[in-house]
Amino acid sequence: MSTSFRKSCLILFAALLWVSASGQTVSLKVIQTTDVHGSIEQGKFGRIATLIRQECKAAGGSPNTVLADCGDLMQGSFPMTLDRGGVMIRALNLLSYDVFVPGNHDFEFGADSLRDHLKQFRGIVCALNLDWKDTPVRRWTLLKKSGLDVAVIGITFPALDTLVSGDQLKSVRLLDAEKEMARIMPEVMNVRPVVIILAVHAGEYTPVSGRLTLTQLIRKYPQIDLVLGGHTHQDIPGKSLGGHAWFLQAPAHAGGIAVADILYDSRERRVVSLQSRLLLLADRETAPLPEMEKVFSEQLKRSARTGAEQIARLPFPLEPLSGTEHSNRLTGLFANTIHEYTGAPVVFHGTHGKFAQAPGPLNRRQLFALTPYEDKIGVLKLTPSECRMVLEEQHAKKRSGMFQAPSGIVYSTGRGGRIKGSLRLKGESGDWTDETRTVACAFTTFALAGAGGRFPLLRSLAELHAVEVYPDGIRTVLENHLRKNHPIQTHPIERK
Protein backbone atom coordinates (compact mmCIF):
# COMPACT_ATOMS: atom_id res chain seq x y z
CA MET A 1 0.00 0.00 0.00
CA SER A 2 1.50 3.38 -0.97
CA THR A 3 2.33 6.07 1.59
CA SER A 4 0.04 8.54 -0.16
CA PHE A 5 -2.86 6.09 0.05
CA ARG A 6 -2.26 5.40 3.73
CA LYS A 7 -2.02 9.10 4.52
CA SER A 8 -5.10 10.13 2.55
CA CYS A 9 -7.33 7.15 3.20
CA LEU A 10 -10.77 7.71 4.65
CA ILE A 11 -10.95 6.81 8.31
CA LEU A 12 -14.32 5.75 9.55
CA PHE A 13 -15.20 7.04 13.00
CA ALA A 14 -18.82 5.97 13.38
CA ALA A 15 -20.47 2.96 11.77
CA LEU A 16 -21.95 3.96 8.43
CA LEU A 17 -25.71 3.65 8.44
CA TRP A 18 -28.14 3.22 5.55
CA VAL A 19 -29.30 6.60 4.31
CA SER A 20 -33.04 6.59 3.84
CA ALA A 21 -34.59 7.72 0.61
CA SER A 22 -36.46 10.43 2.48
CA GLY A 23 -33.21 12.45 2.68
CA GLN A 24 -32.97 12.87 6.46
CA THR A 25 -29.15 13.14 6.47
CA VAL A 26 -27.27 16.41 6.06
CA SER A 27 -23.62 16.69 4.96
CA LEU A 28 -21.15 19.04 6.59
CA LYS A 29 -17.50 19.46 5.64
CA VAL A 30 -14.80 20.75 8.03
CA ILE A 31 -11.44 21.90 6.63
CA GLN A 32 -8.47 22.70 8.85
CA THR A 33 -5.02 24.25 8.51
CA THR A 34 -2.54 24.78 11.31
CA ASP A 35 1.08 25.78 12.00
CA VAL A 36 1.47 27.38 8.58
CA HIS A 37 4.27 29.64 9.91
CA GLY A 38 4.00 32.05 7.01
CA SER A 39 4.89 29.43 4.38
CA ILE A 40 4.04 31.48 1.31
CA GLU A 41 7.21 30.89 -0.73
CA GLN A 42 7.40 28.29 -3.51
CA GLY A 43 3.63 28.70 -3.81
CA LYS A 44 2.98 26.51 -0.75
CA PHE A 45 0.05 28.34 0.81
CA GLY A 46 -1.22 29.13 -2.68
CA ARG A 47 -1.34 25.40 -3.40
CA ILE A 48 -3.25 24.50 -0.26
CA ALA A 49 -5.60 27.38 -1.11
CA THR A 50 -6.39 25.48 -4.31
CA LEU A 51 -7.15 22.33 -2.30
CA ILE A 52 -9.40 24.32 0.02
CA ARG A 53 -11.32 25.81 -2.89
CA GLN A 54 -11.75 22.37 -4.45
CA GLU A 55 -13.06 20.86 -1.21
CA CYS A 56 -15.41 23.80 -0.62
CA LYS A 57 -16.79 23.48 -4.13
CA ALA A 58 -17.36 19.74 -3.68
CA ALA A 59 -19.37 20.50 -0.53
CA GLY A 60 -21.53 23.06 -2.29
CA GLY A 61 -19.60 26.15 -1.15
CA SER A 62 -18.85 28.01 2.06
CA PRO A 63 -22.42 27.67 3.43
CA ASN A 64 -21.78 23.93 3.82
CA THR A 65 -18.17 24.16 5.04
CA VAL A 66 -16.46 25.09 8.31
CA LEU A 67 -12.98 26.44 7.56
CA ALA A 68 -10.64 26.88 10.55
CA ASP A 69 -6.99 27.63 11.21
CA CYS A 70 -5.55 26.57 14.57
CA GLY A 71 -2.69 29.02 14.92
CA ASP A 72 1.01 29.70 14.44
CA LEU A 73 -0.01 31.30 11.18
CA MET A 74 1.92 34.57 11.02
CA GLN A 75 5.51 33.94 12.16
CA GLY A 76 8.23 31.60 11.01
CA SER A 77 9.43 32.71 7.57
CA PHE A 78 11.47 35.65 6.34
CA PRO A 79 8.60 37.29 4.38
CA MET A 80 6.57 37.53 7.60
CA THR A 81 9.15 39.88 9.13
CA LEU A 82 8.21 42.54 6.58
CA ASP A 83 4.66 43.16 7.84
CA ARG A 84 4.59 41.09 11.04
CA GLY A 85 2.44 38.47 9.36
CA GLY A 86 -0.42 40.72 8.30
CA VAL A 87 -0.51 39.26 4.79
CA MET A 88 -1.70 35.94 6.24
CA ILE A 89 -4.90 37.54 7.54
CA ARG A 90 -5.60 38.78 4.02
CA ALA A 91 -5.05 35.21 2.83
CA LEU A 92 -7.60 33.85 5.34
CA ASN A 93 -10.09 36.50 4.29
CA LEU A 94 -9.72 35.61 0.61
CA LEU A 95 -10.66 32.01 1.39
CA SER A 96 -13.50 33.04 3.76
CA TYR A 97 -12.13 31.30 6.84
CA ASP A 98 -14.75 31.03 9.56
CA VAL A 99 -12.51 30.64 12.62
CA PHE A 100 -8.96 31.48 13.65
CA VAL A 101 -7.36 30.35 16.92
CA PRO A 102 -4.11 32.23 17.65
CA GLY A 103 -1.02 30.16 18.45
CA ASN A 104 1.98 31.05 20.58
CA HIS A 105 4.14 32.17 17.65
CA ASP A 106 1.42 34.57 16.51
CA PHE A 107 2.21 36.64 19.62
CA GLU A 108 5.94 36.93 18.86
CA PHE A 109 5.60 40.25 17.04
CA GLY A 110 3.81 41.56 20.11
CA ALA A 111 0.21 41.62 21.31
CA ASP A 112 -0.41 45.10 19.89
CA SER A 113 0.57 44.02 16.39
CA LEU A 114 -1.49 40.83 16.61
CA ARG A 115 -4.52 42.73 17.91
CA ASP A 116 -4.38 45.07 14.90
CA HIS A 117 -4.20 42.12 12.51
CA LEU A 118 -7.06 40.27 14.21
CA LYS A 119 -9.31 43.29 13.82
CA GLN A 120 -8.93 42.86 10.05
CA PHE A 121 -10.04 39.21 10.11
CA ARG A 122 -13.55 38.77 8.72
CA GLY A 123 -14.17 35.50 10.54
CA ILE A 124 -14.31 34.80 14.27
CA VAL A 125 -11.24 34.71 16.52
CA CYS A 126 -11.79 32.06 19.21
CA ALA A 127 -9.79 31.40 22.38
CA LEU A 128 -11.68 30.78 25.62
CA ASN A 129 -8.49 31.00 27.70
CA LEU A 130 -7.58 34.55 26.64
CA ASP A 131 -8.72 37.61 28.57
CA TRP A 132 -7.72 40.33 26.13
CA LYS A 133 -9.45 43.68 26.09
CA ASP A 134 -10.15 45.70 22.95
CA THR A 135 -9.87 42.68 20.65
CA PRO A 136 -12.39 40.61 18.66
CA VAL A 137 -11.49 37.42 20.57
CA ARG A 138 -14.48 35.28 21.60
CA ARG A 139 -14.58 32.14 23.71
CA TRP A 140 -16.74 30.27 21.19
CA THR A 141 -19.02 30.94 18.27
CA LEU A 142 -22.13 29.45 16.67
CA LEU A 143 -22.09 28.96 12.90
CA LYS A 144 -24.99 28.08 10.64
CA LYS A 145 -23.64 25.55 8.15
CA SER A 146 -25.64 23.20 5.91
CA GLY A 147 -28.65 24.50 7.80
CA LEU A 148 -27.18 23.10 11.05
CA ASP A 149 -26.13 24.92 14.21
CA VAL A 150 -22.43 24.21 14.63
CA ALA A 151 -20.61 25.38 17.76
CA VAL A 152 -16.86 26.03 17.54
CA ILE A 153 -14.87 26.47 20.76
CA GLY A 154 -11.31 27.77 20.64
CA ILE A 155 -8.32 27.25 22.97
CA THR A 156 -4.94 28.87 22.41
CA PHE A 157 -1.78 27.21 23.71
CA PRO A 158 -2.57 26.64 27.40
CA ALA A 159 0.95 27.51 28.62
CA LEU A 160 1.30 30.52 26.34
CA ASP A 161 3.11 32.56 28.98
CA THR A 162 5.95 30.00 29.16
CA LEU A 163 6.75 30.49 25.46
CA VAL A 164 6.02 34.18 25.00
CA SER A 165 7.41 36.87 27.29
CA GLY A 166 5.38 39.31 29.33
CA ASP A 167 6.87 42.08 27.23
CA GLN A 168 5.25 40.54 24.15
CA LEU A 169 1.95 39.63 25.82
CA LYS A 170 1.52 42.98 27.61
CA SER A 171 -2.15 43.24 28.64
CA VAL A 172 -3.06 39.70 27.56
CA ARG A 173 -4.15 37.57 30.52
CA LEU A 174 -4.04 33.79 30.20
CA LEU A 175 -6.91 31.89 31.79
CA ASP A 176 -7.16 28.29 32.97
CA ALA A 177 -8.58 26.34 30.01
CA GLU A 178 -10.12 23.65 32.20
CA LYS A 179 -12.04 26.17 34.30
CA GLU A 180 -13.12 28.21 31.28
CA MET A 181 -14.36 25.08 29.52
CA ALA A 182 -16.53 24.24 32.53
CA ARG A 183 -17.82 27.81 32.53
CA ILE A 184 -18.88 27.98 28.88
CA MET A 185 -20.22 24.47 28.21
CA PRO A 186 -23.63 25.17 29.79
CA GLU A 187 -23.82 28.29 27.63
CA VAL A 188 -22.93 26.29 24.53
CA MET A 189 -25.43 23.54 25.30
CA ASN A 190 -28.22 26.06 25.90
CA VAL A 191 -28.25 26.92 22.17
CA ARG A 192 -28.54 23.19 21.35
CA PRO A 193 -25.89 22.88 18.60
CA VAL A 194 -26.06 19.67 16.60
CA VAL A 195 -22.28 19.51 16.10
CA ILE A 196 -19.60 20.75 18.53
CA ILE A 197 -16.04 21.34 17.33
CA LEU A 198 -13.08 22.15 19.56
CA ALA A 199 -10.32 24.01 17.67
CA VAL A 200 -7.17 24.12 19.76
CA HIS A 201 -3.53 25.09 19.41
CA ALA A 202 -2.33 22.02 21.29
CA GLY A 203 -1.67 18.33 20.79
CA GLU A 204 -3.53 15.41 22.31
CA TYR A 205 -1.06 15.10 25.20
CA THR A 206 -0.56 18.83 25.81
CA PRO A 207 -1.42 19.85 29.39
CA VAL A 208 -4.38 22.24 29.31
CA SER A 209 -4.28 22.94 33.04
CA GLY A 210 -2.31 21.91 36.10
CA ARG A 211 -4.33 18.68 36.23
CA LEU A 212 -5.39 17.58 32.77
CA THR A 213 -4.04 16.93 29.29
CA LEU A 214 -6.16 17.74 26.26
CA THR A 215 -7.24 14.09 26.01
CA GLN A 216 -8.31 14.06 29.66
CA LEU A 217 -10.24 17.30 29.19
CA ILE A 218 -12.09 15.85 26.22
CA ARG A 219 -13.18 12.85 28.30
CA LYS A 220 -15.14 15.21 30.52
CA TYR A 221 -17.24 16.47 27.60
CA PRO A 222 -18.91 13.71 25.56
CA GLN A 223 -20.83 16.45 23.73
CA ILE A 224 -17.73 17.27 21.64
CA ASP A 225 -17.78 15.61 18.22
CA LEU A 226 -14.56 16.81 16.58
CA VAL A 227 -11.22 18.17 17.84
CA LEU A 228 -8.88 20.08 15.52
CA GLY A 229 -5.33 20.06 16.93
CA GLY A 230 -2.12 21.98 16.38
CA HIS A 231 1.25 23.06 17.79
CA THR A 232 2.95 19.66 17.73
CA HIS A 233 3.58 19.58 13.95
CA GLN A 234 2.13 16.09 13.60
CA ASP A 235 0.20 14.78 10.60
CA ILE A 236 -2.88 13.12 12.10
CA PRO A 237 -5.47 11.91 9.56
CA GLY A 238 -7.85 10.91 12.33
CA LYS A 239 -8.05 9.00 15.61
CA SER A 240 -10.42 8.56 18.53
CA LEU A 241 -9.82 10.96 21.41
CA GLY A 242 -11.29 10.59 24.86
CA GLY A 243 -13.42 7.63 23.76
CA HIS A 244 -16.03 9.66 21.89
CA ALA A 245 -14.51 12.57 19.96
CA TRP A 246 -12.53 12.42 16.74
CA PHE A 247 -9.14 14.14 16.50
CA LEU A 248 -7.29 15.30 13.40
CA GLN A 249 -4.48 17.68 12.67
CA ALA A 250 -3.29 19.17 9.39
CA PRO A 251 0.38 19.09 8.34
CA ALA A 252 2.58 22.00 9.44
CA HIS A 253 4.27 24.54 7.15
CA ALA A 254 1.44 24.45 4.61
CA GLY A 255 2.17 20.83 3.79
CA GLY A 256 -1.52 20.07 3.25
CA ILE A 257 -4.97 20.30 4.78
CA ALA A 258 -7.14 18.17 7.04
CA VAL A 259 -10.71 17.39 5.99
CA ALA A 260 -13.58 15.89 7.95
CA ASP A 261 -16.85 14.86 6.27
CA ILE A 262 -19.77 14.66 8.69
CA LEU A 263 -23.21 13.14 8.13
CA TYR A 264 -25.92 14.31 10.50
CA ASP A 265 -29.27 12.55 10.75
CA SER A 266 -31.86 15.25 11.34
CA ARG A 267 -34.54 12.70 12.26
CA GLU A 268 -32.43 10.95 14.90
CA ARG A 269 -30.67 14.26 15.79
CA ARG A 270 -27.18 12.81 15.89
CA VAL A 271 -23.98 12.47 13.88
CA VAL A 272 -24.13 9.10 12.16
CA SER A 273 -20.85 9.24 10.26
CA LEU A 274 -17.56 11.12 10.49
CA GLN A 275 -14.80 10.41 8.00
CA SER A 276 -11.48 12.25 7.91
CA ARG A 277 -8.42 12.47 5.69
CA LEU A 278 -5.32 14.50 4.97
CA LEU A 279 -4.62 16.01 1.57
CA LEU A 280 -0.84 16.34 1.28
CA LEU A 281 0.90 18.57 -1.25
CA ALA A 282 3.67 16.00 -1.54
CA ASP A 283 1.19 13.50 -2.98
CA ARG A 284 -0.28 15.61 -5.75
CA GLU A 285 0.44 18.12 -8.48
CA THR A 286 -1.49 21.19 -7.41
CA ALA A 287 -1.09 24.64 -8.93
CA PRO A 288 -1.28 27.70 -6.65
CA LEU A 289 -4.59 29.54 -6.58
CA PRO A 290 -4.08 32.58 -8.88
CA GLU A 291 -5.99 34.96 -6.57
CA MET A 292 -3.81 33.90 -3.66
CA GLU A 293 -0.65 34.49 -5.65
CA LYS A 294 -1.83 38.08 -6.17
CA VAL A 295 -2.25 38.50 -2.42
CA PHE A 296 1.37 37.44 -1.87
CA SER A 297 2.93 38.96 -5.00
CA GLU A 298 4.23 42.26 -3.59
CA GLN A 299 5.30 40.67 -0.33
CA LEU A 300 7.37 38.06 -2.17
CA LYS A 301 9.00 40.64 -4.44
CA ARG A 302 9.93 42.76 -1.47
CA SER A 303 11.17 39.69 0.37
CA ALA A 304 13.46 38.75 -2.52
CA ARG A 305 14.95 42.25 -2.65
CA THR A 306 15.33 42.68 1.09
CA GLY A 307 16.52 39.14 1.75
CA ALA A 308 19.38 39.46 -0.74
CA GLU A 309 20.77 42.60 0.90
CA GLN A 310 24.23 41.88 2.28
CA ILE A 311 24.82 43.14 5.80
CA ALA A 312 28.25 41.77 6.75
CA ARG A 313 31.19 39.66 5.68
CA LEU A 314 31.98 36.84 8.06
CA PRO A 315 35.69 36.07 8.46
CA PHE A 316 34.92 32.72 10.06
CA PRO A 317 32.38 29.87 9.72
CA LEU A 318 29.37 29.57 12.02
CA GLU A 319 28.02 26.20 13.14
CA PRO A 320 25.51 24.95 15.72
CA LEU A 321 26.65 23.41 18.98
CA SER A 322 27.54 19.75 18.84
CA GLY A 323 26.24 17.36 21.45
CA THR A 324 29.42 17.63 23.55
CA GLU A 325 30.17 21.35 23.15
CA HIS A 326 29.25 23.91 25.79
CA SER A 327 30.19 26.84 23.56
CA ASN A 328 31.55 27.55 20.11
CA ARG A 329 32.15 30.43 17.71
CA LEU A 330 28.44 30.97 17.10
CA THR A 331 27.53 31.16 20.78
CA GLY A 332 30.54 33.43 21.20
CA LEU A 333 29.16 35.73 18.51
CA PHE A 334 25.84 35.97 20.34
CA ALA A 335 27.64 36.54 23.65
CA ASN A 336 29.79 39.36 22.26
CA THR A 337 26.76 40.92 20.61
CA ILE A 338 24.62 40.86 23.74
CA HIS A 339 27.47 41.99 26.00
CA GLU A 340 28.17 44.93 23.70
CA TYR A 341 24.47 45.88 23.69
CA THR A 342 23.62 45.43 27.38
CA GLY A 343 26.95 45.55 29.19
CA ALA A 344 26.01 42.34 31.05
CA PRO A 345 29.21 40.46 31.96
CA VAL A 346 27.45 37.06 31.86
CA VAL A 347 25.41 35.99 28.83
CA PHE A 348 23.36 32.85 28.18
CA HIS A 349 22.38 32.16 24.56
CA GLY A 350 22.00 29.03 22.46
CA THR A 351 22.06 28.22 18.76
CA HIS A 352 19.02 27.57 16.60
CA GLY A 353 18.50 24.30 14.78
CA LYS A 354 21.15 23.24 12.31
CA PHE A 355 22.15 26.67 11.08
CA ALA A 356 25.59 26.80 9.51
CA GLN A 357 27.25 29.56 7.51
CA ALA A 358 30.54 29.53 5.63
CA PRO A 359 32.89 32.54 5.73
CA GLY A 360 31.89 35.29 3.34
CA PRO A 361 28.94 37.62 2.76
CA LEU A 362 25.90 37.31 5.04
CA ASN A 363 22.55 38.61 3.81
CA ARG A 364 19.30 39.39 5.61
CA ARG A 365 17.67 36.07 4.78
CA GLN A 366 20.66 34.20 6.23
CA LEU A 367 20.48 36.43 9.29
CA PHE A 368 16.85 35.37 9.73
CA ALA A 369 17.91 31.70 9.54
CA LEU A 370 20.46 32.46 12.26
CA THR A 371 17.84 34.16 14.49
CA PRO A 372 14.39 32.93 13.33
CA TYR A 373 12.43 34.08 16.38
CA GLU A 374 11.36 37.51 17.58
CA ASP A 375 13.08 37.33 20.96
CA LYS A 376 14.35 40.31 22.91
CA ILE A 377 17.02 40.41 25.61
CA GLY A 378 16.30 40.54 29.32
CA VAL A 379 18.83 41.15 32.06
CA LEU A 380 18.48 40.21 35.73
CA LYS A 381 20.99 40.31 38.55
CA LEU A 382 21.87 36.99 40.16
CA THR A 383 23.87 35.91 43.20
CA PRO A 384 26.57 33.24 42.73
CA SER A 385 24.29 30.54 44.16
CA GLU A 386 21.45 31.55 41.83
CA CYS A 387 23.76 31.59 38.83
CA ARG A 388 25.04 28.16 39.85
CA MET A 389 21.47 26.79 39.90
CA VAL A 390 20.80 28.27 36.46
CA LEU A 391 23.96 26.65 35.09
CA GLU A 392 22.96 23.28 36.50
CA GLU A 393 19.46 23.59 35.06
CA GLN A 394 20.93 24.34 31.65
CA HIS A 395 23.27 21.36 31.71
CA ALA A 396 20.49 19.08 32.97
CA LYS A 397 18.34 20.10 29.97
CA LYS A 398 21.13 20.10 27.39
CA ARG A 399 19.57 17.27 25.43
CA SER A 400 16.34 19.25 25.03
CA GLY A 401 17.95 21.23 22.21
CA MET A 402 17.33 24.47 24.10
CA PHE A 403 20.71 24.69 25.88
CA GLN A 404 21.62 28.31 26.57
CA ALA A 405 25.41 28.39 26.35
CA PRO A 406 26.95 30.51 29.13
CA SER A 407 29.77 32.97 28.58
CA GLY A 408 31.63 35.36 30.84
CA ILE A 409 31.89 32.79 33.61
CA VAL A 410 34.35 29.99 34.36
CA TYR A 411 33.23 26.74 36.01
CA SER A 412 33.63 22.97 35.95
CA THR A 413 30.92 20.33 35.67
CA GLY A 414 30.72 16.82 37.01
CA ARG A 415 28.29 13.96 36.54
CA GLY A 416 24.76 14.99 35.60
CA GLY A 417 25.81 18.57 34.91
CA ARG A 418 26.47 19.34 38.56
CA ILE A 419 28.83 22.26 39.11
CA LYS A 420 32.12 21.36 40.81
CA GLY A 421 33.84 23.97 42.93
CA SER A 422 33.25 27.70 42.81
CA LEU A 423 32.33 30.03 39.97
CA ARG A 424 34.71 32.64 38.63
CA LEU A 425 33.87 35.62 36.49
CA LYS A 426 36.08 36.02 33.43
CA GLY A 427 38.75 38.65 33.91
CA GLU A 428 38.82 38.17 37.67
CA SER A 429 41.40 36.18 39.59
CA GLY A 430 39.29 35.30 42.61
CA ASP A 431 36.20 33.10 42.92
CA TRP A 432 32.74 34.64 42.87
CA THR A 433 31.43 33.48 46.23
CA ASP A 434 30.12 36.67 47.86
CA GLU A 435 26.34 36.22 48.10
CA THR A 436 25.91 39.95 48.63
CA ARG A 437 27.34 40.63 45.17
CA THR A 438 24.91 40.26 42.28
CA VAL A 439 26.01 40.24 38.65
CA ALA A 440 23.95 41.16 35.59
CA CYS A 441 23.13 38.07 33.50
CA ALA A 442 21.53 38.34 30.07
CA PHE A 443 19.06 35.85 28.54
CA THR A 444 16.56 35.83 25.73
CA THR A 445 13.02 36.67 26.78
CA PHE A 446 12.00 33.19 25.57
CA ALA A 447 14.39 31.57 28.06
CA LEU A 448 13.25 33.89 30.86
CA ALA A 449 9.63 32.88 30.18
CA GLY A 450 10.66 29.28 30.86
CA ALA A 451 11.12 28.00 27.29
CA GLY A 452 7.85 26.11 27.33
CA GLY A 453 8.41 24.65 30.79
CA ARG A 454 12.00 23.55 30.17
CA PHE A 455 13.54 26.14 32.51
CA PRO A 456 11.23 26.43 35.54
CA LEU A 457 14.03 27.59 37.84
CA LEU A 458 15.06 30.41 35.51
CA ARG A 459 11.42 31.43 35.13
CA SER A 460 11.00 31.55 38.92
CA LEU A 461 14.09 33.75 39.25
CA ALA A 462 12.75 36.08 36.55
CA GLU A 463 9.53 36.36 38.54
CA LEU A 464 11.45 36.95 41.77
CA HIS A 465 13.84 39.62 40.51
CA ALA A 466 13.35 42.72 38.40
CA VAL A 467 14.09 42.00 34.73
CA GLU A 468 15.20 44.79 32.42
CA VAL A 469 13.96 44.02 28.90
CA TYR A 470 15.86 45.89 26.20
CA PRO A 471 13.84 47.42 23.35
CA ASP A 472 15.49 45.88 20.28
CA GLY A 473 14.98 42.33 19.08
CA ILE A 474 18.00 40.04 19.08
CA ARG A 475 18.04 39.96 15.26
CA THR A 476 18.33 43.75 15.06
CA VAL A 477 21.02 43.78 17.75
CA LEU A 478 22.99 41.08 15.93
CA GLU A 479 22.71 42.89 12.60
CA ASN A 480 24.04 46.10 14.13
CA HIS A 481 26.92 44.21 15.73
CA LEU A 482 27.85 42.48 12.47
CA ARG A 483 27.66 45.70 10.45
CA LYS A 484 29.97 47.39 12.93
CA ASN A 485 32.50 44.61 13.48
CA HIS A 486 32.42 42.72 10.15
CA PRO A 487 31.35 45.25 7.52
CA ILE A 488 31.00 44.56 3.84
CA GLN A 489 34.30 45.75 2.38
CA THR A 490 34.29 48.07 -0.58
CA HIS A 491 37.61 48.16 -2.40
CA PRO A 492 38.30 51.31 -4.46
CA ILE A 493 39.57 50.78 -7.98
CA GLU A 494 43.30 51.39 -8.19
CA ARG A 495 44.33 53.84 -10.88
CA LYS A 496 47.47 53.08 -12.85
Side-chain angles (χ1 to χ4, degrees):
M1 183 184 294
S2 70
T3 300
S4 62
F5 181 80
R6 290 197 303 269
K7 286 277 188 177
S8 301
C9 66
L10 299 182
I11 300 176
L12 191 60
F13 175 45
L16 291 176
L17 303 179
W18 288 103
V19 179
S20 66
S22 59
Q24 296 299 318
T25 57
V26 180
S27 298
L28 171 69
K29 188 181 293 287
V30 180
I31 303 173
Q32 185 226 18
T33 53
T34 190
D35 298 283
V36 170
H37 289 288
S39 299
I40 66 174
E41 296 177 289
Q42 289 82 48
K44 289 190 72 176
F45 195 85
R47 293 176 65 199
I48 67 170
T50 297
L51 296 180
I52 290 169
R53 278 281 176 88
Q54 291 171 347
E55 289 294 318
C56 283
K57 183 178 180 180
S62 293
N64 302 325
T65 306
V66 175
L67 183 52
D69 184 272
C70 288
D72 279 4
L73 173 73
M74 293 181 275
Q75 192 280 336
S77 70
F78 178 74
M80 296 300 103
T81 65
L82 304 178
D83 71 343
R84 300 188 170 193
V87 72
M88 297 309 300
I89 295 297
R90 298 202 299 276
L92 297 193
N93 286 339
L94 176 67
L95 294 170
S96 300
Y97 269 72
D98 297 292
V99 172
F100 173 61
V101 179
N104 52 287
H105 284 289
D106 296 314
F107 285 90
E108 283 200 33
F109 292 112
D112 291 344
S113 173
L114 179 56
R115 178 197 59 218
D116 293 342
H117 291 326
L118 295 182
K119 287 183 177 180
Q120 303 303 313
F121 180 50
R122 295 176 193 153
I124 305 298
V125 184
C126 283
L128 62 76
N129 54 335
L130 286 183
D131 181 6
W132 192 7
K133 308 302 182 187
D134 192 32
T135 65
V137 178
R138 301 184 192 177
R139 296 179 297 175
W140 67 283
T141 189
L142 188 68
L143 305 175
K144 181 71 78 172
K145 296 289 183 175
S146 297
L148 304 174
D149 288 330
V150 180
V152 182
I153 304 166
I155 299 178
T156 191
F157 188 70
L160 180 66
D161 57 350
T162 70
L163 292 172
V164 185
S165 72
D167 178 73
Q168 292 164 312
L169 290 175
K170 291 189 175 180
S171 62
V172 179
R173 190 164 70 97
L174 190 65
L175 305 176
D176 185 290
E178 180 187 359
K179 293 180 180 178
E180 294 306 308
M181 194 74 171
R183 184 171 293 142
I184 71 157
M185 280 307 290
E187 181 183 325
V188 173
M189 297 311 297
N190 279 343
V191 301
R192 303 185 69 183
V194 300
V195 175
I196 299 179
I197 300 170
L198 178 63
V200 55
H201 189 74
E204 57 186 307
Y205 302 114
T206 301
V208 296
S209 69
R211 304 185 320 124
L212 303 178
T213 65
L214 178 62
T215 300
Q216 291 168 329
L217 180 70
I218 296 303
R219 288 190 183 126
K220 295 178 63 177
Y221 299 101
Q223 307 96 323
I224 295 174
D225 299 290
L226 179 64
V227 181
L228 307 175
H231 184 71
T232 59
H233 291 205
Q234 294 172 285
D235 296 5
I236 302 178
K239 62 187 297 185
S240 179
L241 192 67
H244 57 85
W246 196 240
F247 181 77
L248 71 158
Q249 185 171 320
H253 299 288
I257 63 175
V259 181
D261 292 296
I262 298 173
L263 278 180
Y264 178 78
D265 191 308
S266 56
R267 174 178 291 174
E268 296 187 17
R269 291 189 57 80
R270 66 186 183 94
V271 173
V272 294
S273 172
L274 197 162
Q275 304 173 57
S276 66
R277 53 202 159 97
L278 298 182
L279 301 182
L280 305 180
L281 291 185
D283 293 343
R284 64 200 73 241
E285 294 292 332
T286 305
L289 188 71
E291 303 98 298
M292 190 61 71
E293 292 293 274
K294 291 180 182 178
V295 170
F296 297 142
S297 176
E298 288 304 315
Q299 189 98 339
L300 290 172
K301 289 178 183 177
R302 185 181 167 201
S303 173
R305 292 193 304 269
T306 307
E309 180 186 345
Q310 294 183 1
I311 61 171
R313 180 176 292 275
L314 295 176
F316 44 73
L318 297 176
E319 296 177 347
L321 283 174
S322 71
T324 58
E325 287 181 314
H326 293 166
S327 63
N328 66 2
R329 193 168 289 166
L330 180 52
T331 63
L333 173 62
F334 279 116
N336 292 337
T337 297
I338 294 171
H339 172 70
E340 181 181 84
Y341 180 60
T342 66
V346 176
V347 175
F348 289 78
H349 198 288
T351 59
H352 298 296
K354 299 179 180 179
F355 176 85
Q357 181 67 36
L362 182 78
N363 62 34
R364 284 187 178 275
R365 183 177 288 275
Q366 292 164 330
L367 179 69
F368 174 83
L370 178 58
T371 55
Y373 306 110
E374 311 307 317
D375 299 329
K376 292 184 178 181
I377 302 162
V379 174
L380 72 162
K381 293 184 176 180
L382 300 177
T383 65
S385 61
E386 289 172 333
C387 189
R388 183 190 193 95
M389 289 189 293
V390 170
L391 286 166
E392 289 183 341
E393 180 175 65
Q394 290 300 319
H395 282 280
K397 301 292 178 67
K398 194 170 189 299
R399 292 185 178 181
S400 72
M402 293 289 179
F403 179 69
Q404 305 296 292
S407 65
I409 192 164
V410 180
Y411 63 96
S412 298
T413 57
R415 181 175 297 179
R418 302 287 293 181
I419 304 298
K420 298 192 301 182
S422 299
L423 307 180
R424 179 168 57 85
L425 297 171
K426 278 190 177 179
E428 297 188 3
S429 57
D431 292 339
W432 177 31
T433 57
D434 184 357
E435 287 295 317
T436 65
R437 180 191 179 192
T438 59
V439 171
C441 301
F443 303 83
T444 66
T445 48
F446 171 74
L448 290 170
R454 297 173 182 88
F455 307 147
L457 172 68
L458 179 58
R459 177 182 170 88
S460 68
L461 290 172
E463 292 172 341
L464 178 65
H465 300 303
V467 176
E468 182 180 3
V469 177
Y470 284 72
D472 297 318
I474 181 63
R475 191 181 307 123
T476 299
V477 176
L478 182 58
E479 178 180 339
N480 292 338
H481 176 86
L482 289 169
R483 284 184 181 276
K484 174 184 174 182
N485 295 282
H486 305 290
I488 294 291
Q489 299 294 329
T490 56
H491 301 286
I493 299 175
E494 295 184 6
R495 295 185 180 182
K496 296 182 178 180

